[in-house]
Amino acid sequence: MDIQLSHVNKRFGDTAVIKDVSFTVAAGEICCLLGPSGSGKTTLIRLMIGALPADSGTIQFGDTEMPNMAILKRLGFMPQNDALYEDLSAQGNLAFFGGLYHLPKRTREARIAEVLDMVELTDHKRKLVKDFSGGMKKRLSLAIAILHEPDILFLDEPTAGIDPVLRRKIWAQFQSLKAQGTTIIVSTHVMDEVVECDKGALLYNGRLIEYDTVDRLLAKTDSGRIEDLFFAASESEARS
Amino acid sequence: MIQLAKRVIRQTINDKRSVMLILVAPLLILTLVYFLLGDSDYVATVAIDPDAVPAPVIDALEQQELELVDITGDEADQALDYLQQHEDVDAVLRFPENSGMDITLYEPSTKGATAISEIQEAMADINPTAEAEVSYVYGTQDQTLFDSLGYVFLALFSFFFVFIISAMALVRERSRGTLERLMMTPIRRGEVIAGYTLGYSVFAVIQAIIIVLYAVFVLQLSNEGNIFWILLTMVLLAVTAVSFGATISIFAGSELQVVQLIPFTIIPQVFFSGLIPLDLIPYHLGNLSYIMPIYYGAAAIKGIMVYGDGLSDIWGYLAGLTAYALVLYVINTQALKKFRKL
């Protein structure tokens, strides 16, 4: 399912946090939302999933304009904080969300086993989440987001605070989901992660300063480093 | 909704402190209240100058549950100084010349009141015509403060502990981001509130059964009515408490802020619950009780336990509680729009 944003604006009080953002992500692509802290990545994701209403502009998934209740069951969302029930086991968390997505019992059990295996938590499925390490919580959070096999997956800083080995494993899982046709929107402030994506949306102070394929974005810099595009935006803003 | 209720139940069971707070804390505090407000068996100490008190009075005082201490005439004349130096003595009783009886107390207190009551009974024994026969439509003269006010505590406990647990849980749900995640699933806003209410209602039913059985059969709290109606009232009150907790959690950003809101939301309800007769509150402030859910619960439980009321007598209070819960349900459902417009 493709995603189209058209002239999306959002203000919090007097502060404009998203300024006239438009871009399109084709079905089955991975799109990175890149930008420094406070650039509007999380707000843009929350606008896309319908957690926040846009002040103006439209957001469409396929032919359906958001927000839309029916489309929610086709979305997966992994928030920036782990957002897990610490007094429940890994299996308990998954069973709860599986129930909310109305997965039939047999399908739910099969999917829980599958995603636990995918995030390498099968041996810890009965452990309470409060006894999990930070990395295990991240992996469980991802497992919940993909449990119902969503068409579009939103991942807000999924690799923040994660060690390089686990980060590589998590990105391998994203690639595997992409191969299955899932459209993925992933926010990150780790510039190196852009090479894992098909498209890059560069946000700076709520503005979309660049949107293109990753190859073309990298070609726009002399050094081959995405940071340079942000430095250029920062200098241009300072001049104006 | 059922999924959410099941999760609330599982989560609460896994949190031993919450289980203790809902099921054990009310019994512990009720037991303390029983001892604090029950028959204390306190024996007051009264000091008299045996040379200045008529012999029949001394005989009558000795028949009472009093400890008599003999003092000198000078000490009796300086009663205030004597009491300041002898804190174990509750009262000094004198019969000054050309005057009536004079009682000096250390301070206004229950201990002093016990001393006065025993002295008055002794006087009534000397002069039986002065003895007043007191009759009650409901209750007896012998019943303790616990018997008179115990119903208020049943209402308070069924509301307060469920309120605390549910308000904290909802604030935690928000601060940990699970509410936002929950709202990204196809669950409806009304189902979220209903699921929470249903989940905690299970504990409310268990709590109500334990508290009522303990109060009536172990602590012997006098009850003139049907236990089933008490249980129904307590469960309705607890259901209202869940909704009230959810509403309070809208205004609280953290668990600490829930605690900070308790003096504004819960403590005033304690004073308007029936602990103090509402008619005694000046400027018609007693009417404020009508906006407080604990009042409806306490009034219904009082009706059942003290007056032996049935459903036909208490339905108005139950309707008040139900209306309260429904209004809060609508407010809470609307408040969730903050997380998802639909």
Side-chain angles (χ1 to χ4, degrees), chain B residues 42 45 83 85-90:
Chain B
Y42 179 72
T45 304
L83 285 172
Q85 288 158 20
H86 298 83
E87 285 183 22
D88 54 325
V89 176
D90 299 301

Side-chain angles (χ1 to χ4, degrees), chain A residues 7-13 15-18 47 52-57:
Chain A
H7 304 289
V8 175
N9 285 282
K10 180 70 188 173
R11 301 181 77 86
F12 289 139
T15 314
V17 286
I18 295 293
L47 285 166
L52 280 178
D55 294 339
S56 60

